[in-house]
Amino acid sequence: MLTERQLEVMLSVVYEYIKSGESVGSRTVSRRYLTGHSSATIRNEMSDLEEMGFLKQPHTSSGRIPTTLGYRLYVDSVLQRVDSSKYSKEWIKSLGEHRKGIEGALESASDILSRVSNYVGVAAVTPLDKVKFQRVDFVRLGERNVLLLVVLQGGLVHQKVISLPWDMTQEYLDDLSRRINVFAGCEWTEVKKSLKAYIMEELQDYKSACAAALRELEGIMISPSIKAFTGSMSHMLNLPDFQDLSRIQTLYEFLEQEEGMAELVKSCSKEGINIIIGEENESPAMKRSALVAASTICNGQMTMIGVVGPERMDYEKVITTIDRVFRTMDTGSDEEAE
Amino acid sequence: MLTERQLEVMLSVVYEYIKSGESVGSRTVSRRYLTGHSSATIRNEMSDLEEMGFLKQPHTSSGRIPTTLGYRLYVDSVLQRVDSSKYSKEWIKSLGEHRKGIEGALESASDILSRVSNYVGVAAVTPLDKVKFQRVDFVRLGERNVLLLVVLQGGLVHQKVISLPWDMTQEYLDDLSRRINVFAGCEWTEVKKSLKAYIMEELQDYKSACAAALRELEGIMISPSIKAFTGSMSHMLNLPDFQDLSRIQTLYEFLEQEEGMAELVKSCSKEGINIIIGEENESPAMKRSALVAASTICNGQMTMIGVVGPERMDYEKVITTIDRVFRTMDTGSDEEAE
DNA sequence: ATTAGCACTCGTGATACTAGAGTGCTAACA
DNA sequence: TGTTAGCACTCTAGTATCACGAGTGCTAAT
């Protein structure tokens, strides 16, 4: 559908635009990239490419800039060059044993990605349906108020303060948690079955309180509550792409709220590298931005690290950086790359 | 030192400048505030006030704007009007029993403050020297890697992944934590004494591992690691004060890193309302911004909620808002005020 | 199919000018 | 002596104008 030369022109334009930030004209392409052809030839090609929807003009008589489709073309070509088979699950498996734990690891990942990319680094982990739990603990805080701590397999910690219909002593709570922890490593559904009998038979006075506690516990186990981390956003203020304040504002608002991050995670549908560019994004707030992320499914939870930036992003650098961080997290050495 | 009329002029200027955002001239003051005096009179007063360091001119032949000293004058007068005796410790005492727990409460406080003030809401809690602990839990994640969970009195949860010199079974870890939890509610120093004997005598093979675990635990108990929450920062992009991107950038950078928040907390030296304006701030990043915060000491930890915004902040509104949130948190109803 | 040439478009930056708001100062006034 | 009116001066923000340059589209020649 696209001739060889058209592809060359496209890649040149996108590359040059990413590098310079200014709309690129036919002359530039003819002089720097396709030196064998005159600017007029390029001009004709560009005109065709515009009609096909790969390029657009900010205004008549200025150079061309890529559309989302154009970026997609470029990114796919970059992805072909990068050997994505390198990505292994090793790192995520070892995360739980990482000296920082999974949360610390994700936090520093988002931080590092922010710094080296100068865009916004993000990281998140969300339990899937069949998450297994590792540990449950109830801590009595005050009358009828209990802090519920749940450690999922992989080391992810969830906490919630719940209030019970009955005041229970710490001893009773300990007993309850001990009985649950017997099932450490099991899926919740199994645990639930076994516990029902216990509640029915052995507890009388505290039945309702325990039932309430278990309901809360189930809520945590089942609901796919996401844990998200966002690196420093302040670098992006430097980018020429965000001279328009309202643009960066909508993006910030999007990233600041949990729903935003949840959507980003959701959009990383496949394992490995995911790239969603501009218009491809579902949320209006992301229509002029892009996400590059790597995700893995392991231990019954989906983990993702990535970078959010302008559509005009240095995809090549970001992709390789994410690759680096991916594997660096494995070894636990997280000095800043490059 | 300041005549009655000079004070009136000062308050008028600051009030008007906060409201309008534009430098205020003598004519404005004479027409809207001190109607009994001509603009020339005001002009002379303003000239004097400038010499005294309360006002300054952005450029010759424009109106005056307050200096940090000028804001201070105004804020102190506002504080006199607001009955700060209303602030009670009640709310913080009940935080541990709050349905969201202290962390949830602080998070929503910073969130609410951001939204109603349109500046940046912040909230933090930091344990002081004599913090008491409520609960300790060790969860074995993998070979020699253990997740250490500590619940401080008040419901604050700290977590850390530690690696031990020895692989310990979950049973041993449970035993260790059970022995520590006997001392729930005590200060760490006491616990330490009592545990030493136990380690020396009863444990042999695991001695070094337990000692390592306890060292880590002590690290958490002693180090005043701060837990900070920052509300949405995107609103501030709308403010005319931050048309200059570099200004908001330095501020963002400051708030994004933990040291920044730590400094803000540190600067809230006294209980109750603290206000630090512009030049009064230690950090260069805050020299053109202001902090309004309320802090309390309770349960061996210092808790703070506040607002960071431009020096030209609507202090009156912010102060009363913080007051509101302060007391709203108590009751647990956190619908948005106003 | 490619290229050179040319007229046309449009954004950018420089310059100049004006209107308006505000000051400082002096002189008159109570 | 404190207050006020008046006036000249300063500085900013906004606007209009102009020229330049980069780029396009089209046509005609190769």
Side-chain angles (χ1 to χ4, degrees), chain B residues 291-334:
Chain B
L291 166 72
V292 179
S295 73
T296 330
I297 292 173
C298 191
N299 272 343
Q301 55 200 20
M302 199 249 248
T303 311
M304 171 275 244
I305 68 172
V307 166
V308 173
E311 228 179 337
R312 184 184 81 82
M313 193 195 283
D314 189 340
Y315 293 97
E316 189 148 7
K317 183 181 165 194
V318 168
I319 290 171
T320 53
T321 304
I322 289 185
D323 175 33
R324 271 249 199 78
V325 176
F326 230 77
R327 275 178 286 131
T328 310
M329 287 171 75
D330 189 17
T331 69
S333 64
D334 55 1

Short mmCIF file of all heavy atoms in Angstrom, two decimals, chain B residues 291-334:
data_model
loop_
_atom_site.label_atom_id
_atom_site.label_comp_id
_atom_site.label_asym_id
_atom_site.label_seq_id
_atom_site.Cartn_x
_atom_site.Cartn_y
_atom_site.Cartn_z
N LEU B 291 3.01 28.87 52.65
CA LEU B 291 2.43 27.67 53.25
C LEU B 291 1.49 28.07 54.37
O LEU B 291 1.85 28.88 55.23
CB LEU B 291 3.54 26.77 53.81
CG LEU B 291 3.09 25.65 54.76
CD1 LEU B 291 2.37 24.55 54.00
CD2 LEU B 291 4.27 25.08 55.52
N VAL B 292 0.29 27.56 54.33
CA VAL B 292 -0.63 27.72 55.45
C VAL B 292 -0.95 26.33 55.94
O VAL B 292 -1.42 25.49 55.17
CB VAL B 292 -1.93 28.42 55.02
CG1 VAL B 292 -2.88 28.54 56.21
CG2 VAL B 292 -1.65 29.78 54.43
N ALA B 293 -0.66 26.05 57.19
CA ALA B 293 -0.83 24.68 57.67
C ALA B 293 -1.30 24.66 59.11
O ALA B 293 -1.06 25.59 59.87
CB ALA B 293 0.48 23.92 57.54
N ALA B 294 -1.98 23.59 59.45
CA ALA B 294 -2.37 23.36 60.83
C ALA B 294 -1.71 22.07 61.27
O ALA B 294 -1.71 21.09 60.53
CB ALA B 294 -3.88 23.24 60.94
N SER B 295 -1.13 22.08 62.44
CA SER B 295 -0.46 20.86 62.89
C SER B 295 -0.80 20.56 64.33
O SER B 295 -1.15 21.44 65.12
CB SER B 295 1.05 21.00 62.72
OG SER B 295 1.56 21.88 63.69
N THR B 296 -0.72 19.30 64.66
CA THR B 296 -1.01 18.84 66.01
C THR B 296 -0.01 17.76 66.38
O THR B 296 0.45 17.03 65.51
CB THR B 296 -2.39 18.19 66.11
OG1 THR B 296 -3.25 18.80 65.17
CG2 THR B 296 -2.95 18.28 67.49
N ILE B 297 0.27 17.68 67.64
CA ILE B 297 1.09 16.57 68.12
C ILE B 297 0.21 15.68 68.97
O ILE B 297 -0.48 16.13 69.87
CB ILE B 297 2.28 17.08 68.95
CG1 ILE B 297 3.25 17.82 68.03
CG2 ILE B 297 2.99 15.93 69.62
CD1 ILE B 297 4.35 18.51 68.75
N CYS B 298 0.22 14.42 68.63
CA CYS B 298 -0.67 13.50 69.32
C CYS B 298 -0.18 12.08 69.06
O CYS B 298 0.35 11.80 67.98
CB CYS B 298 -2.10 13.67 68.78
SG CYS B 298 -3.33 12.82 69.77
N ASN B 299 -0.33 11.23 70.00
CA ASN B 299 0.08 9.84 69.83
C ASN B 299 1.55 9.72 69.46
O ASN B 299 1.94 8.81 68.74
CB ASN B 299 -0.74 9.17 68.72
CG ASN B 299 -2.01 8.56 69.26
OD1 ASN B 299 -2.13 8.36 70.47
ND2 ASN B 299 -2.93 8.26 68.38
N GLY B 300 2.35 10.65 69.93
CA GLY B 300 3.77 10.56 69.64
C GLY B 300 4.11 10.85 68.20
O GLY B 300 5.17 10.47 67.72
N GLN B 301 3.20 11.48 67.49
CA GLN B 301 3.55 11.85 66.12
C GLN B 301 2.95 13.20 65.78
O GLN B 301 1.94 13.62 66.33
CB GLN B 301 3.08 10.78 65.14
CG GLN B 301 1.61 10.44 65.23
CD GLN B 301 1.31 9.09 64.61
OE1 GLN B 301 2.21 8.28 64.44
NE2 GLN B 301 0.06 8.86 64.27
N MET B 302 3.60 13.85 64.87
CA MET B 302 3.16 15.17 64.47
C MET B 302 2.38 15.07 63.16
O MET B 302 2.86 14.48 62.20
CB MET B 302 4.37 16.07 64.29
CG MET B 302 3.98 17.52 64.33
SD MET B 302 4.14 18.32 62.78
CE MET B 302 5.51 19.42 63.16
N THR B 303 1.19 15.64 63.17
CA THR B 303 0.36 15.56 61.99
C THR B 303 0.11 16.97 61.46
O THR B 303 -0.07 17.89 62.24
CB THR B 303 -0.99 14.91 62.33
OG1 THR B 303 -0.74 13.72 63.05
CG2 THR B 303 -1.76 14.59 61.07
N MET B 304 0.10 17.08 60.18
CA MET B 304 -0.01 18.41 59.58
C MET B 304 -0.87 18.34 58.33
O MET B 304 -0.73 17.42 57.53
CB MET B 304 1.41 18.89 59.26
CG MET B 304 1.53 20.14 58.45
SD MET B 304 1.43 19.85 56.67
CE MET B 304 3.05 20.35 56.18
N ILE B 305 -1.77 19.27 58.19
CA ILE B 305 -2.44 19.43 56.90
C ILE B 305 -2.32 20.89 56.51
O ILE B 305 -2.29 21.76 57.38
CB ILE B 305 -3.93 19.03 56.93
CG1 ILE B 305 -4.74 19.99 57.79
CG2 ILE B 305 -4.11 17.59 57.41
CD1 ILE B 305 -6.23 19.76 57.69
N GLY B 306 -2.22 21.15 55.24
CA GLY B 306 -2.01 22.54 54.86
C GLY B 306 -2.17 22.77 53.38
O GLY B 306 -2.58 21.89 52.62
N VAL B 307 -1.85 23.97 53.00
CA VAL B 307 -2.00 24.38 51.61
C VAL B 307 -0.75 25.15 51.18
O VAL B 307 -0.28 26.02 51.91
CB VAL B 307 -3.24 25.28 51.43
CG1 VAL B 307 -3.21 25.98 50.09
CG2 VAL B 307 -4.51 24.47 51.59
N VAL B 308 -0.24 24.81 50.02
CA VAL B 308 0.87 25.55 49.44
C VAL B 308 0.36 26.30 48.22
O VAL B 308 -0.30 25.71 47.36
CB VAL B 308 2.03 24.61 49.04
CG1 VAL B 308 3.10 25.39 48.29
CG2 VAL B 308 2.61 23.94 50.25
N GLY B 309 0.65 27.55 48.17
CA GLY B 309 0.20 28.35 47.03
C GLY B 309 1.11 29.53 46.82
O GLY B 309 2.15 29.63 47.46
N PRO B 310 0.72 30.41 45.94
CA PRO B 310 1.56 31.58 45.69
C PRO B 310 1.54 32.51 46.89
O PRO B 310 0.64 32.42 47.74
CB PRO B 310 0.88 32.23 44.49
CG PRO B 310 -0.54 31.81 44.58
CD PRO B 310 -0.51 30.44 45.16
N GLU B 311 2.52 33.38 46.95
CA GLU B 311 2.55 34.35 48.03
C GLU B 311 1.23 35.14 48.05
O GLU B 311 0.67 35.42 49.09
CB GLU B 311 3.72 35.32 47.81
CG GLU B 311 4.57 35.52 49.03
CD GLU B 311 5.72 36.46 48.75
OE1 GLU B 311 6.11 36.61 47.57
OE2 GLU B 311 6.22 37.06 49.70
N ARG B 312 0.77 35.45 46.88
CA ARG B 312 -0.51 36.15 46.75
C ARG B 312 -1.63 35.13 46.88
O ARG B 312 -2.25 34.73 45.92
CB ARG B 312 -0.60 36.84 45.39
CG ARG B 312 -1.85 37.66 45.19
CD ARG B 312 -1.90 38.22 43.79
NE ARG B 312 -2.38 37.23 42.83
CZ ARG B 312 -3.65 36.97 42.61
NH1 ARG B 312 -4.58 37.60 43.29
NH2 ARG B 312 -4.00 36.06 41.73
N MET B 313 -1.85 34.68 48.06
CA MET B 313 -2.82 33.63 48.30
C MET B 313 -4.03 34.23 49.01
O MET B 313 -3.91 35.23 49.71
CB MET B 313 -2.17 32.58 49.20
CG MET B 313 -2.93 31.27 49.31
SD MET B 313 -2.33 30.29 50.67
CE MET B 313 -0.83 29.64 49.99
N ASP B 314 -5.16 33.62 48.82
CA ASP B 314 -6.35 34.08 49.54
C ASP B 314 -6.30 33.52 50.96
O ASP B 314 -6.97 32.57 51.30
CB ASP B 314 -7.60 33.60 48.81
CG ASP B 314 -8.85 34.24 49.39
OD1 ASP B 314 -8.77 34.73 50.54
OD2 ASP B 314 -9.88 34.26 48.72
N TYR B 315 -5.47 34.17 51.78
CA TYR B 315 -5.20 33.63 53.11
C TYR B 315 -6.46 33.44 53.91
O TYR B 315 -6.62 32.43 54.59
CB TYR B 315 -4.23 34.54 53.86
CG TYR B 315 -2.85 34.57 53.26
CD1 TYR B 315 -2.46 35.58 52.38
CD2 TYR B 315 -1.93 33.58 53.55
CE1 TYR B 315 -1.20 35.60 51.82
CE2 TYR B 315 -0.66 33.59 52.99
CZ TYR B 315 -0.30 34.60 52.13
OH TYR B 315 0.94 34.61 51.58
N GLU B 316 -7.34 34.37 53.82
CA GLU B 316 -8.54 34.29 54.65
C GLU B 316 -9.32 33.02 54.33
O GLU B 316 -9.68 32.24 55.20
CB GLU B 316 -9.41 35.53 54.41
CG GLU B 316 -10.56 35.61 55.37
CD GLU B 316 -10.90 37.07 55.67
OE1 GLU B 316 -10.32 37.97 55.02
OE2 GLU B 316 -11.75 37.29 56.55
N LYS B 317 -9.53 32.82 53.05
CA LYS B 317 -10.29 31.64 52.64
C LYS B 317 -9.56 30.36 53.02
O LYS B 317 -10.16 29.41 53.53
CB LYS B 317 -10.51 31.69 51.12
CG LYS B 317 -11.35 30.55 50.59
CD LYS B 317 -11.51 30.67 49.08
CE LYS B 317 -12.02 29.36 48.50
NZ LYS B 317 -11.87 29.33 47.03
N VAL B 318 -8.27 30.36 52.76
CA VAL B 318 -7.50 29.14 53.03
C VAL B 318 -7.51 28.81 54.52
O VAL B 318 -7.69 27.66 54.92
CB VAL B 318 -6.06 29.29 52.52
CG1 VAL B 318 -5.18 28.18 53.04
CG2 VAL B 318 -6.05 29.27 50.99
N ILE B 319 -7.33 29.83 55.32
CA ILE B 319 -7.30 29.59 56.76
C ILE B 319 -8.62 28.99 57.23
O ILE B 319 -8.66 28.00 57.96
CB ILE B 319 -7.00 30.89 57.53
CG1 ILE B 319 -5.55 31.31 57.27
CG2 ILE B 319 -7.23 30.71 59.02
CD1 ILE B 319 -5.21 32.68 57.81
N THR B 320 -9.70 29.59 56.80
CA THR B 320 -10.99 29.06 57.26
C THR B 320 -11.26 27.68 56.67
O THR B 320 -11.86 26.83 57.32
CB THR B 320 -12.15 30.01 56.88
OG1 THR B 320 -12.08 30.28 55.48
CG2 THR B 320 -12.05 31.31 57.64
N THR B 321 -10.79 27.45 55.46
CA THR B 321 -10.99 26.13 54.86
C THR B 321 -10.24 25.07 55.66
O THR B 321 -10.78 24.01 55.98
CB THR B 321 -10.49 26.10 53.41
OG1 THR B 321 -11.14 27.10 52.66
CG2 THR B 321 -10.76 24.75 52.79
N ILE B 322 -9.00 25.38 55.97
CA ILE B 322 -8.22 24.41 56.75
C ILE B 322 -8.90 24.16 58.08
O ILE B 322 -8.99 23.02 58.55
CB ILE B 322 -6.79 24.92 56.95
CG1 ILE B 322 -6.04 24.86 55.62
CG2 ILE B 322 -6.06 24.10 58.00
CD1 ILE B 322 -4.59 25.24 55.72
N ASP B 323 -9.40 25.21 58.67
CA ASP B 323 -10.15 25.06 59.91
C ASP B 323 -11.29 24.08 59.73
O ASP B 323 -11.47 23.13 60.50
CB ASP B 323 -10.68 26.43 60.33
CG ASP B 323 -11.55 26.33 61.56
OD1 ASP B 323 -11.28 25.45 62.40
OD2 ASP B 323 -12.50 27.12 61.67
N ARG B 324 -12.05 24.29 58.69
CA ARG B 324 -13.17 23.41 58.38
C ARG B 324 -12.74 21.96 58.25
O ARG B 324 -13.29 21.06 58.89
CB ARG B 324 -13.79 23.81 57.05
CG ARG B 324 -14.87 24.84 57.12
CD ARG B 324 -16.22 24.18 56.74
NE ARG B 324 -17.20 25.18 56.37
CZ ARG B 324 -17.23 25.77 55.20
NH1 ARG B 324 -16.33 25.47 54.27
NH2 ARG B 324 -18.16 26.65 54.93
N VAL B 325 -11.76 21.75 57.39
CA VAL B 325 -11.32 20.38 57.14
C VAL B 325 -10.80 19.75 58.42
O VAL B 325 -11.07 18.59 58.71
CB VAL B 325 -10.23 20.35 56.04
CG1 VAL B 325 -9.69 18.95 55.85
CG2 VAL B 325 -10.80 20.87 54.75
N PHE B 326 -10.08 20.53 59.15
CA PHE B 326 -9.59 20.09 60.45
C PHE B 326 -10.70 19.43 61.24
O PHE B 326 -10.60 18.32 61.72
CB PHE B 326 -9.11 21.32 61.22
CG PHE B 326 -7.75 21.19 61.81
CD1 PHE B 326 -6.64 21.31 61.01
CD2 PHE B 326 -7.58 20.94 63.15
CE1 PHE B 326 -5.36 21.20 61.54
CE2 PHE B 326 -6.31 20.83 63.70
CZ PHE B 326 -5.20 20.96 62.89
N ARG B 327 -11.78 20.16 61.34
CA ARG B 327 -12.85 19.65 62.20
C ARG B 327 -13.74 18.67 61.49
O ARG B 327 -14.36 17.82 62.11
CB ARG B 327 -13.64 20.82 62.78
CG ARG B 327 -12.94 21.35 64.03
CD ARG B 327 -13.64 22.51 64.63
NE ARG B 327 -13.42 23.71 63.84
CZ ARG B 327 -14.38 24.51 63.46
NH1 ARG B 327 -15.63 24.24 63.81
NH2 ARG B 327 -14.11 25.58 62.76
N THR B 328 -13.80 18.79 60.17
CA THR B 328 -14.63 17.84 59.43
C THR B 328 -14.04 16.43 59.52
O THR B 328 -14.76 15.46 59.61
CB THR B 328 -14.70 18.25 57.95
OG1 THR B 328 -15.05 19.62 57.87
CG2 THR B 328 -15.71 17.40 57.21
N MET B 329 -12.74 16.36 59.49
CA MET B 329 -12.10 15.06 59.55
C MET B 329 -12.50 14.32 60.83
O MET B 329 -12.58 13.10 60.86
CB MET B 329 -10.59 15.22 59.52
CG MET B 329 -10.07 15.61 58.15
SD MET B 329 -8.35 16.05 58.19
CE MET B 329 -7.59 14.46 58.36
N ASP B 330 -12.73 15.11 61.83
CA ASP B 330 -13.13 14.53 63.10
C ASP B 330 -14.40 13.70 62.96
O ASP B 330 -14.47 12.55 63.37
CB ASP B 330 -13.38 15.69 64.10
CG ASP B 330 -13.59 15.16 65.50
OD1 ASP B 330 -13.23 14.00 65.73
OD2 ASP B 330 -14.10 15.92 66.33
N THR B 331 -15.37 14.31 62.36
CA THR B 331 -16.66 13.63 62.28
C THR B 331 -16.65 12.55 61.21
O THR B 331 -17.51 11.69 61.19
CB THR B 331 -17.78 14.62 61.92
OG1 THR B 331 -17.56 15.05 60.57
CG2 THR B 331 -17.72 15.83 62.83
N GLY B 332 -15.69 12.64 60.33
CA GLY B 332 -15.61 11.59 59.32
C GLY B 332 -16.42 11.89 58.08
O GLY B 332 -16.37 11.14 57.12
N SER B 333 -17.15 12.96 58.08
CA SER B 333 -17.88 13.31 56.87
C SER B 333 -17.00 14.24 56.06
O SER B 333 -16.62 15.30 56.52
CB SER B 333 -19.19 14.00 57.23
OG SER B 333 -18.92 15.22 57.87
N ASP B 334 -16.66 13.83 54.88
CA ASP B 334 -15.71 14.65 54.14
C ASP B 334 -16.26 15.09 52.79
O ASP B 334 -15.57 15.12 51.80
CB ASP B 334 -14.39 13.91 53.97
CG ASP B 334 -14.59 12.57 53.32
OD1 ASP B 334 -15.76 12.25 53.00
OD2 ASP B 334 -13.62 11.86 53.11
#
